[in-house]
Amino acid sequence: TPQQGAYIQPNMQMPISSFYPYPSNIRQITYYLNDAPIGSATQPPYAITYVPTNRGPSILKAVAETTTGAQETQVISITMQ
């Protein structure tokens, strides 16, 4: 959450969460908006709340750090209106 291509209202709380099929293999998931870190979570559903202030196309990235030290990344495009 949010979904690819979502339109988000600026200055309003945006819930962000991720699903990982093997939660016992995850240390934490860190979220980035346009490459700036905006928060992290260590427990499923790996949820944070963020209040965006910018407008326009944006890239939301979730980086999962595994217990072995590897990283897995998911990237979606969203638009702040």
Side-chain angles (χ1 to χ4, degrees):
T1 305
Q3 298 296 320
Q4 169 69 25
Y7 289 92
I8 308 296
Q9 296 295 319
N11 302 312
M12 297 193 66
Q13 290 188 349
M14 175 175 67
I16 302 170
S17 64
S18 295
F19 170 78
Y20 194 82
Y22 307 104
S24 62
N25 294 345
I26 294 294
R27 266 196 201 122
Q28 74 176 11
I29 295 180
T30 302
Y31 298 98
Y32 299 83
L33 185 62
N34 298 326
D35 290 324
I38 58 171
S40 61
T42 59
Q43 298 293 318
Y46 307 106
I48 66 167
T49 301
Y50 179 72
V51 179
T53 57
N54 61 331
R55 291 182 181 270
S58 297
I59 301 296
L60 180 62
K61 178 169 47 173
V63 179
E65 180 184 329
T66 68
T67 55
T68 63
Q71 291 185 339
E72 295 186 28
T73 302
Q74 178 71 38
V75 177
I76 63 168
S77 298
I78 57 176
T79 302
M80 310 298 184
Q81 329 188 12

